[in-house]
Amino acid sequence: MQILLQEPSFDAGALLNAFTAGAGNIGAVVSFTGVVRDHPQTPLTAMEIEHYPGMTERALEEIAKSAAQRWSLGDVLVVHRFGRLTPGEQIMMVAAAAPHRRDAFDAADFLMDYLKSRAPFWKREITAQGPQWVQANPQDEDALARWSKD
Amino acid sequence: MQILLQEPSFDAGALLNAFTAGAGNIGAVVSFTGVVRDHPQTPLTAMEIEHYPGMTERALEEIAKSAAQRWSLGDVLVVHRFGRLTPGEQIMMVAAAAPHRRDAFDAADFLMDYLKSRAPFWKREITAQGPQWVQANPQDEDALARWSKD
Amino acid sequence: MNVLYFAWVRERIGLPRETIETSAPTPRALIEELRSKDPRYAAAFADLAALRVALDQELADFDAPLKGVKELAFFPPMTGG
Amino acid sequence: MNVLYFAWVRERIGLPRETIETSAPTPRALIEELRSKDPRYAAAFADLAALRVALDQELADFDAPLKGVKELAFFPPMTGG
């Protein structure tokens, strides 16, 4: 299990290769990378990510552990940045390695759903119109319900 | 849309980075990498992948196009090897880039399901007990049904 | 008790953290106490549905007991990923 | 017509490809013709449920018309990915 919480950028490809090489005798690796998307209308100057030092690390570890308990996985990777990012920069990444492909897909999907709504990060978008906190999407909360008792 | 059909190994990390950089204004990239898994009981000497030159390229393109028609995607990548591979080697990779994460996940999942059962590859496992053709898994055929009319 | 604020809760209150002496039994009671103390708190805590609370770095309910808690944090729904 | 064989179909027939002159209207009819010709074909085509057919590099039905087809391939269910 690897958790990285950091301000600097990361190299998703290098992390994916190291993760795959280190995951043991597995058949499938699924990765998700989140990228700062520009706005079509009001161009985004920056995306600022605030977090809760201490709680963030605990939340990321708990989320990764839950995935590892729920599916048969070779390894789990969670990377999340904070600070000021510009459009096109990579915000975060998760990866799940498993003997079987369904487990790798579901675990990565689960990690993303939990990161969205249960890890203490708050995004603020900076445009020419000033800063604006990103509002939580009710669909993200609904997405979590998929993982309870099925 | 990028399709690679090749005998030599590929660098999944380098492909992921180039794919993400080239996908335009997207927010999410999901990748899947398939790895030759060793057997716990009878160790695998090699995995041989036979394919149907000509039809394979067409099938890979059709599968990638179907995904691009079905979801709002920035780009699609499909990489598949043939020939003789050893345990731990990477067989294939797909990636989907999209503005939104659900589309990227679903497209990658769809690409995998179609590659499993609709691209003309046949795997043969070589162990101390001799060569053995891998049998198609009925679950793989069932998985395809998920994508029809929903 | 150390009380931390994040995102727009921090901005409305104008502080990232403070030490509060309170005998409030729950986060809900503490919110009532603070609301009556200063309009900045009233503004930050206007809509409880838009607020989350963590006790000692674990998400908690507004009616969870504060007894023994060293660190409390108020913040909006999280937007990670 | 060029007829191609893959995987264990190729092994049982002992050839990767051959040119066949036939007036069979469908793959199913061609299979019957070949089965009666040689036990190697009978072995390869014993179980149609374990067989797939492609006409001009597109998956097809055993009852699809062969008229105009230049390349036909028989193979087991695919195991890609």
Side-chain angles (χ1 to χ4, degrees):
Chain A
M1 210 168 85
Q2 300 166 69
I3 311 285
L4 295 170
L5 173 67
Q6 61 184 49
E7 188 154 5
S9 63
F10 59 88
D11 181 335
L15 287 172
L16 176 67
N17 282 349
F19 177 74
T20 303
N25 185 27
I26 47 95
V29 178
V30 171
S31 80
F32 178 97
T33 314
V35 181
V36 179
R37 193 155 61 98
D38 207 348
H39 291 189
Q41 262 92 47
T42 48
L44 192 67
T45 308
M47 158 91 75
E48 289 177 359
I49 302 175
E50 181 171 337
H51 78 113
Y52 182 171
M55 179 169 168
T56 310
E57 291 86 337
R58 291 173 61 150
L60 297 183
E61 275 194 34
E62 256 175 55
I63 292 167
K65 267 188 207 159
S66 303
Q69 277 162 7
R70 195 167 171 129
W71 288 279
S72 171
L73 302 179
D75 203 359
V76 178
L77 170 71
V78 177
V79 185
H80 208 299
R81 294 175 65 190
F82 55 88
R84 189 178 172 92
L85 283 76
T86 51
E89 278 195 80
Q90 299 182 11
I91 309 172
M92 49 70 60
M93 170 179 187
V94 301
H100 301 290
R101 85 179 188 282
R102 191 72 258 142
D103 289 339
F105 266 115
D106 288 348
D109 208 350
F110 170 95
L111 289 168
M112 280 311 302
D113 281 350
Y114 273 83
L115 278 181
K116 282 272 167 195
S117 312
R118 290 293 181 270
F121 293 100
W122 299 275
K123 292 194 186 113
R124 185 159 67 157
E125 294 178 338
I126 320 292
T127 68
Q129 288 159 26
Q132 178 90 48
W133 291 100
V134 173
Q135 288 209 303
N137 186 339
Q139 288 185 339
D140 288 336
E141 193 65 36
D142 296 346
L144 284 184
R146 292 191 293 153
W147 306 110
S148 52
K149 317 214 178 216
D150 63 320
Chain B
M1 210 170 84
Q2 301 167 66
I3 312 285
L4 294 170
L5 173 66
Q6 62 185 47
E7 187 154 6
S9 63
F10 60 88
D11 180 335
L15 288 172
L16 177 67
N17 282 348
F19 178 75
T20 304
N25 185 28
I26 47 96
V29 178
V30 170
S31 80
F32 178 97
T33 315
V35 181
V36 179
R37 193 155 61 98
D38 206 348
H39 291 188
Q41 263 92 49
T42 48
L44 192 69
T45 308
M47 157 91 76
E48 289 176 358
I49 302 174
E50 181 171 337
H51 78 113
Y52 182 170
M55 179 170 168
T56 310
E57 291 86 337
R58 290 173 61 151
L60 297 183
E61 276 194 31
E62 256 173 56
I63 292 167
K65 268 188 206 158
S66 303
Q69 278 164 7
R70 195 166 172 133
W71 289 280
S72 171
L73 301 178
D75 203 358
V76 178
L77 169 71
V78 177
V79 184
H80 208 299
R81 293 175 65 190
F82 55 88
R84 188 179 173 93
L85 284 75
T86 51
E89 278 196 81
Q90 298 181 12
I91 308 173
M92 49 72 59
M93 170 178 187
V94 302
H100 301 289
R101 84 180 188 283
R102 192 72 259 145
D103 288 341
F105 265 115
D106 288 348
D109 207 350
F110 170 95
L111 288 167
M112 280 311 302
D113 281 350
Y114 274 82
L115 278 181
K116 281 271 167 196
S117 311
R118 291 291 181 272
F121 293 101
W122 299 274
K123 293 195 186 112
R124 186 159 66 157
E125 294 179 338
I126 318 293
T127 68
Q129 288 160 28
Q132 176 90 47
W133 291 101
V134 173
Q135 287 210 303
N137 185 339
Q139 288 184 337
D140 288 336
E141 193 65 35
D142 296 347
L144 283 184
R146 292 191 293 153
W147 306 109
S148 51
K149 317 215 178 216
D150 64 322
Chain C
M1 187 163 53
N2 286 316
V3 181
L4 283 65
Y5 310 112
F6 293 96
W8 55 254
V9 177
R10 172 178 54 69
E11 291 180 329
R12 288 187 194 172
I13 293 174
L15 286 173
R17 63 169 64 216
E18 60 185 320
T19 304
I20 295 177
E21 298 299 326
T22 181
S23 56
T26 63
R28 194 185 298 276
L30 176 62
I31 285 171
E32 284 312 313
E33 202 177 291
L34 293 170
R35 264 179 178 159
S36 62
K37 195 172 119 181
D38 191 298
R40 291 175 301 136
Y41 294 109
F45 299 142
D47 178 14
L48 282 202
L51 212 64
R52 299 289 180 269
V53 63
L55 302 182
D56 288 330
Q57 307 190 349
E58 293 274 359
L59 277 176
D61 197 89
F62 286 109
D63 296 312
L66 285 189
K67 199 171 148 67
V69 168
K70 295 201 175 68
E71 182 172 300
L72 180 154
F74 289 117
F75 44 77
M78 295 162 271
T79 53
Chain D
M1 187 164 54
N2 286 315
V3 181
L4 282 65
Y5 309 112
F6 292 97
W8 55 254
V9 177
R10 172 179 53 69
E11 291 180 329
R12 289 188 193 172
I13 292 173
L15 287 172
R17 63 168 65 215
E18 60 186 319
T19 304
I20 295 178
E21 299 298 326
T22 180
S23 56
T26 65
R28 194 184 298 277
L30 176 61
I31 285 170
E32 284 312 312
E33 201 177 291
L34 293 169
R35 265 179 177 158
S36 63
K37 198 172 116 181
D38 190 298
R40 292 174 300 135
Y41 295 108
F45 300 141
D47 178 14
L48 281 202
L51 213 64
R52 298 289 180 271
V53 62
L55 302 182
D56 288 331
Q57 306 190 350
E58 293 274 359
L59 278 176
D61 197 90
F62 286 108
D63 296 312
L66 284 187
K67 199 172 147 65
V69 168
K70 295 201 176 68
E71 183 173 300
L72 180 155
F74 289 116
F75 44 77
M78 296 162 272
T79 54

